[in-house]
Amino acid sequence: MQINLTGRHVEITTALKEYVDNKFAKLERHFDHINNVHVILNVEKLKQIAEAKLHLNGGEVFAASEDENMYAAIDQLIDKLDRQVIKHKEKIARH
């Protein structure tokens, strides 16, 4: 799984990069057919926004979340993506 990390109005530190990598490893445990991930971390005034687009075998999954804390926004993003990936996996299993 390749993770592309982009920061808009925020510097991507090694701590942020490692945090994102560790969180996306959790997603890979649930579904191993994740080809590419594009994560965008954005800061707008007091809002910290995290967005991600996953390229899977058989489709794409997108989620976004915002919070006052970047780490909390990433956690919410991973929770949303986790639910969507599990739903996608169940759809594939049904066919």
Side-chain angles (χ1 to χ4, degrees):
M1 172 173 66
Q2 179 185 0
I3 298 176
N4 298 328
L5 193 58
T6 305
R8 293 187 185 153
H9 308 292
V10 65
E11 182 181 340
I12 303 297
T13 62
T14 56
L16 265 177
K17 181 163 177 39
E18 289 174 6
Y19 191 76
V20 169
D21 289 342
N22 290 338
K23 290 295 182 174
F24 276 96
K26 174 185 170 188
L27 281 181
E28 200 169 24
R29 281 187 273 141
H30 287 151
F31 191 66
D32 7 334
H33 300 292
I34 300 173
N35 299 329
N36 190 6
V37 179
H38 188 80
V39 181
I40 300 171
L41 304 177
N42 192 2
V43 175
E44 292 180 1
K45 293 190 180 179
L46 298 176
K47 294 188 298 187
Q48 312 284 325
I49 302 169
E51 302 174 348
K53 186 180 215 178
L54 275 66
H55 298 276
L56 310 169
N57 288 348
E60 288 184 353
V61 175
F62 176 81
S65 66
E66 64 181 59
D67 200 295
E68 293 177 358
N69 183 357
M70 183 61 78
Y71 291 99
I74 293 169
D75 287 341
Q76 292 171 6
L77 175 72
I78 293 297
D79 290 341
K80 288 180 182 180
L81 287 172
D82 194 31
R83 286 191 299 268
Q84 290 182 16
V85 164
I86 290 172
K87 186 176 179 181
H88 178 76
K89 183 179 176 181
E90 290 171 355
K91 278 185 182 177
I92 289 175
R94 276 188 268 149
H95 288 289

